[in-house]
Amino acid sequence: MPPEAPLGSVRLVGAGPGPADLLTVRALRAVETAQALLYDALVDDEVIGLAPPGCVRIQTGKRAGRASMEQAAINRLMLRLARRGLRVVRLKGGDPSVFGRVGEESAFLKAHGVPVEVVPGVTAACAAAAQFDFPLTHRGVARRVVFATARLEAGALAMDWAAGADPETTLAIYMGSTAAGQVSQRLIAAGRAPSTPALVVENAGDPHAGLTTGRLDRLAELTAGSRGGPMLIVVGEVAALASAAGACEGAPAPGWRMSG
Ligand code: SAH
């Protein structure tokens, strides 16, 4: 019998919000030396294109009409590739530790004895803040940032509304575009002022990113003009500082819009 291939490894890598120049150098090196690349729907083609020619590329997210793979199937696939001795890179949009299931994947691989490394990435909230010139924290105004998801689970919204009610908290809400109206109602009911500044950034990091600014009580309207890209909602005083002017790198193209 031929000797078994030595066990490979898996790197869980943050691809950042899109453009390849927002990858960390470590992430870039991981992609450039990958032998198998499993990537999510949000990962930009420019980044996937950095993998070497012989690299096996497998799309795991929903894209161009194809359904996404089940988490258990992704786990098994990573394990199988690592057992073939390959350097596997699992590429995720933004940062793998922010709504990226990194905990589940890492635990599964470690339980099977596969060496795992996590490489951080620029999360959507940081990319949006940089591009549109607002801070996530601001001395005396915003002392806390909450990364929250407003994904509907079995039709219900799971979120810590009381934490979001604090006027000095910046809420960065992921996966919230379809539930924006409910988010706004629940936050106001929890005590957040209806006039709290709010904004929505679509495709943060992309030169064609869209910024829409307004108030918490009009949140649903801010997401209404979606062009189908990923949307991040930011609620808090810092949103009043956002501006599409003056952004240089990744500057918004004519597609951006601002409403009041
Ligand atoms: N790990 C990712 C988040 C994955 S959850 C990160 O750190 O950014 C997917 C959600 O993230 C999307 O529904 C959207 O709310 C947000 N998102 C991801 N990329 C985005 C982008 N480029 N612009 C705006 N929002 C984005």
Side-chain angles (χ1 to χ4, degrees):
M1 262 182 32
E4 264 183 49
L7 192 59
S9 63
V10 178
R11 289 201 175 99
L12 305 171
V13 177
D21 63 355
L22 284 177
L23 286 170
T24 64
V25 175
R26 193 178 297 183
L28 174 65
R29 288 189 183 135
V31 174
E32 283 177 342
T33 57
Q35 293 173 308
L37 189 72
L38 283 77
Y39 57 94
D40 275 354
L42 286 176
V43 177
D44 202 277
D45 288 340
E46 189 190 2
V47 174
I48 298 161
L50 296 168
C55 176
V56 179
R57 293 159 210 229
I58 302 163
Q59 180 201 306
T60 59
K62 242 183 254 167
R63 238 186 187 199
R66 278 202 252 162
S68 58
M69 278 169 81
E70 298 275 340
Q71 186 61 50
I74 296 172
N75 290 353
R76 282 197 304 272
L77 186 56
M78 287 191 292
L79 181 60
R80 216 165 53 228
L81 293 164
R83 282 183 172 160
R84 278 197 220 157
L86 299 181
R87 275 191 306 277
V88 181
V89 167
R90 169 89 173 106
L91 256 186
K92 291 161 177 289
D95 183 89
S97 72
V98 180
F99 306 118
R101 299 196 175 184
V102 77
E104 291 164 53
E105 295 185 1
S106 166
F108 173 86
L109 293 162
K110 284 182 189 157
H112 288 84
V114 177
V116 180
E117 184 194 350
V118 178
V119 179
V122 176
T123 192
C126 296
Q131 189 167 10
F132 293 108
D133 206 17
F134 62 94
L136 293 175
T137 65
H138 199 44
R139 205 136 61 101
V141 175
R143 295 171 202 266
R144 182 153 59 151
V145 188
V146 172
F147 291 167
T149 176
R151 189 148 68 196
L152 290 169
E153 277 167 22
L157 263 186
M159 223 174 106
D160 181 357
W161 305 104
D166 167 14
E168 293 195 348
T169 290
T170 302
L171 273 163
I173 304 172
Y174 291 70
M175 294 176 271
S177 53
T178 52
Q182 290 177 62
V183 168
S184 142
Q185 283 169 14
R186 299 286 292 269
L187 282 173
I188 292 168
R192 195 83 190 230
S195 60
T196 304
L199 62 81
V200 171
V201 175
E202 183 170 7
N203 282 318
D206 187 284
H208 299 279
L211 169 70
T212 313
T213 60
R215 314 173 9 143
L216 176 59
D217 56 359
R218 313 264 302 270
L219 205 52
E221 291 166 39
L222 303 187
T223 57
S226 166
R227 288 174 278 160
M231 286 184 144
L232 180 87
I233 297 171
V234 176
V235 176
E237 293 304 322
V238 295
L241 302 172
S243 155
C248 39
E249 202 49 43
W256 72 268
R257 43 184 202 281
M258 197 181 280
S259 67

